[in-house]
Amino acid sequence: MAVSIKDVAARAGVSTATVSHVLNQTRNTKPATRQRVLEAVAELGYSQNLSARNLAVGRSSLLGLILSDIRNPFFPEITSAFQDQALLHHMEALVLNTNYDTQRTLDSVKRLVGLQVPGVAVVTSQVDPSISEMLQERKIAAVYLDLGRVDRYIANITVQYEQGIAEALEHLASLGHRRIGFLGGPAHLPSSDRRKQAFLDTARQLGLEPCGPVTSDFTVKGGYYACSKLLSSFRPTAIFGGNDLTAIGALHCAFDRGLRVPEQLSVVGFDDITFAEYTQPALTTVLIPRQDIGRTAFQALWHMISSGDGEGREYPVATRLIVRQSTAPAPQP
Amino acid sequence: MAVSIKDVAARAGVSTATVSHVLNQTRNTKPATRQRVLEAVAELGYSQNLSARNLAVGRSSLLGLILSDIRNPFFPEITSAFQDQALLHHMEALVLNTNYDTQRTLDSVKRLVGLQVPGVAVVTSQVDPSISEMLQERKIAAVYLDLGRVDRYIANITVQYEQGIAEALEHLASLGHRRIGFLGGPAHLPSSDRRKQAFLDTARQLGLEPCGPVTSDFTVKGGYYACSKLLSSFRPTAIFGGNDLTAIGALHCAFDRGLRVPEQLSVVGFDDITFAEYTQPALTTVLIPRQDIGRTAFQALWHMISSGDGEGREYPVATRLIVRQSTAPAPQP
DNA sequence: TTGAAAGCGCTAACAT
DNA sequence: ATGTTAGCGCTTTCAA
């Protein structure tokens, strides 16, 4: 039906092997032959059947990218950078959305295994051990976000929250803030815990009075209620959101209480460049470089795939503080 | 290397044909046999090689989803709904990002052709004719957004902006607004043109004084400058953003000029449920049901793929007005 | 109810 | 420098 390599070979008057080699640049060919093949390809509008190719070479040109929620603005940035890198290496990114559902994550991995992908980036807040096991057993390269483990076929990206949080607190302290609230995330999330710990450690070090942490579930609504609780119990002049959605919730909460940000309440959140456009310009943020994460994830996979042994590495990714419209604390009544 | 269908067959003491049929439920098998096969599959941890399967059946289980910008919050919603539908039908969605680049769109299509996908959803603001031609020639089902054409292997989704815009204007008029600005999009975009036209038509019909349109490029920054220009030339009490990013830009502009929204300036934009969480609660919006678009896109493809003839259809998708914190125009100085 | 075997389109030895 | 050909793992017709 569709035009196949045989048609091209016939048209160009060469063997299929030659066509294959020309297309993949996998051995020398006389310029004239090469030319004829390329012409035939163009004339017939031929495009490689990648299923066949993948079957023959035993691995797919697809790379898996498992995300917990593509609708969370955190992830499209990662996706985009990952895809761009993949494209450069003639690979495709197959993005799978798990909706924070462990079972669905497992299913996704199985589907990727069936697709014979050589590598998978797992960018979810939690990773069930069965997932990394399944991948490692099959020698499929995998890179995780803040998993904290490195092994054969297992690489890890560590976001350096600590440094960004320290910068943010130093900034607030230098403006004169002392009572700073923290809206923490779910206790079971390692990244949530690290952020809280970094906040508390740095706050102590700087001699500040940390308020809270009050726990939220890392959603806008959760941030709203946590902030509400925090403002009722303490009188912070600044609030640090445990993640970006939480900080947005805090903004809404401040708005509803008639507290102007940042004049009467400074809010700091996590963020990245694109997302900043959609929110109020008053939000000072710790930037999590999502593009870097996406790019690094690909590179980690690529490294394991192309280096024979598949030995994984640790990839630190720095955060950065973005200051906007900061003010000193308002005088208290 | 990996466990193949042969291994399963051997383990279960049956032929590969039987294994295949059991797995695909494509013919009756004695329950006992079936049982043995399934056990063997479980024990060996077998998963189908989809490359081989796709090669054999001549079509991939992948569906293409071409987006102009995955980082624009408009698209992840669509992606998510599309993927969910695909999953229900045991298909994968391969999401490709074109960054509004025509050449890259063309490349994406070629890659999808190579992957033997049976269908492609093209959700970009512009579609080069060469793309729909290439797909149609190869009998690959395609669905477009606001392309305005239906044919064999070509379906179309039409977003009913007109109705949503009319509702919005009626709403503003009923509050007492009369001078309403419009921030239009690029002239070459059909959807941009339709929105502007709908605005002007309805405004005339309601006896309002339309201000503008001032043209923007459908970005936040573009909306900011367009709004700035509009406010300098006219004295509108309300502004209608040509798309969601534009409306956000208008909000920022109003903020920077010290105009409170909506007390001193009502801003209406396009939006959808999720996105609304990230923006100010003051923005009344015409909701573009992105989930509906994603779901409908899949269904359109599926219909063409499974109905023998591949005849495309027209799929209208309604918009909806979401009113928030609306106010009457402030008394003018 | 099951099995044998011929492809699907491509790659990569091995030949020439 | 190029051609021949044996698979890759699966589906599916045809036989049994």
Side-chain angles (χ1 to χ4, degrees), chain A residues 130-184:
Chain A
S130 62
I131 284 166
S132 52
E133 277 168 23
M134 173 179 285
L135 290 171
Q136 193 177 25
E137 270 173 17
R138 291 180 163 72
K139 307 202 175 192
I140 297 177
V143 57
Y144 302 88
L145 189 62
D146 289 330
L147 178 73
R149 193 161 78 83
V150 156
D151 202 343
R152 262 170 78 86
Y153 298 104
I154 297 186
N156 185 63
I157 295 177
T158 302
V159 180
Q160 306 190 294
Y161 302 115
E162 290 77 5
Q163 147 247 332
I165 291 173
E167 282 180 40
L169 284 181
E170 282 160 16
H171 169 70
L172 290 173
S174 76
L175 286 173
H177 292 273
R178 298 197 39 80
R179 291 192 310 286
I180 303 178
F182 188 79
L183 306 176

Side-chain angles (χ1 to χ4, degrees), chain A residues 15 17-18 27 29-30 33 56:
Chain A
S15 73
T18 300
R27 82 176 173 195
T29 29
K30 206 161 69 182
T33 317

Side-chain angles (χ1 to χ4, degrees), chain B residues 15-49:
Chain B
S15 72
T16 61
T18 300
V19 174
S20 172
H21 282 123
V22 166
L23 261 40
N24 299 309
Q25 314 201 36
T26 174
R27 82 176 173 196
N28 284 348
T29 28
K30 209 162 65 182
T33 318
R34 186 185 162 67
Q35 187 59 29
R36 285 214 314 286
V37 170
L38 293 178
E39 276 168 12
V41 165
E43 286 165 11
L44 299 176
Y46 166 74
S47 58
Q48 265 185 330
N49 181 325

Side-chain angles (χ1 to χ4, degrees), chain A residues 35-46:
Chain A
Q35 187 60 28
R36 285 213 314 287
V37 169
L38 293 177
E39 275 169 12
V41 166
E43 285 164 11
L44 299 176
Y46 166 75

